[in-house]
Amino acid sequence: MTPLERLLTALHKAHVEYIIVGGVAARAHGSARLTDDLDISYARNPANLARVITALAPLGPYLRGAPPGLPFDWSAATLGAGLNFTLTTSAGSIDLLGEIVGGGRYEDLLPHTLTITLFGRTVRLLELPWLIRVKRAAGRPKDLEVVAELEALQEEIERGG
């Protein structure tokens, strides 16, 4: 089982409400770029925070880039007190995004999603025009590089290709 499959399986089994928004979303839309983490926008209601904690706890989540041994309380209280978390787990890296520049919160993004099947699981994915929007708004060089490719894919779709 791939790291991505393990992460998606964990989220699915715990019934986490989330939207795939980063490089995995770009790849699902046809991007040739590879990514080494899963970026998700997640609902921040108390029930979903508890589901995120349950889903990832067996995978040993830890703050990516933090020194080993730094105290980190993986709890709904911690998740609720923060917003965006970049984590490493035994199944790979995952970014939990409570809010995305240019897109907003989970509830703001929800109307701009589509559902696809990945590894036999139905998942929500940010639709291509909104993925382009949030990548452009992020403004990081790596995001701007993929925008051109995603816009070419969007143009091809609009031409019926």
Side-chain angles (χ1 to χ4, degrees), residues 112-128:
H112 307 285
T113 63
L114 52 97
T115 56
I116 65 166
T117 302
L118 278 177
F119 304 109
R121 309 271 191 251
T122 301
V123 297
R124 288 193 177 277
L125 181 77
L126 197 57
E127 66 186 12
L128 188 54

Side-chain angles (χ1 to χ4, degrees), residues 21-24 26 31 33-39 64 86 93 95 97 131-132 134-150:
V21 297
V24 173
S31 172
R33 297 179 186 272
L34 298 177
T35 184
D36 59 357
D37 67 351
L38 175 63
D39 301 324
R64 194 163 59 238
T86 57
S93 297
D95 294 353
L97 306 171
L131 183 59
I132 293 168
V134 300
K135 289 281 189 189
R136 183 175 284 117
R140 300 176 304 180
K142 71 178 190 173
D143 290 312
L144 296 176
E145 288 173 11
V146 77
V147 164
E149 180 186 25
L150 294 174

Side-chain angles (χ1 to χ4, degrees), residues 34-145:
L34 298 177
T35 184
D36 59 357
D37 67 351
L38 175 63
D39 301 324
I40 64 168
S41 172
Y42 64 105
R44 294 192 38 84
N45 60 66
N48 201 57
L49 294 180
R51 289 189 291 265
V52 171
I53 296 302
T54 298
L56 298 181
L59 304 176
Y62 193 71
L63 296 170
R64 194 163 59 238
L70 182 73
F72 178 59
D73 176 36
W74 181 243
S75 67
T78 299
L79 203 55
L83 187 62
N84 295 339
F85 294 83
T86 57
L87 303 170
T88 185
T89 76
S90 62
S93 297
I94 185 168
D95 294 353
L96 304 177
L97 306 171
E99 190 168 340
I100 300 172
V101 173
R105 299 167 299 135
Y106 171 86
E107 294 79 9
D108 302 318
L109 296 170
L110 198 55
H112 307 285
T113 63
L114 52 97
T115 56
I116 65 166
T117 302
L118 278 177
F119 304 109
R121 309 271 191 251
T122 301
V123 297
R124 288 193 177 277
L125 181 77
L126 197 57
E127 66 186 12
L128 188 54
W130 271 69
L131 183 59
I132 293 168
R133 174 184 169 150
V134 300
K135 289 281 189 189
R136 183 175 284 117
R140 300 176 304 180
K142 71 178 190 173
D143 290 312
L144 296 176
E145 288 173 11

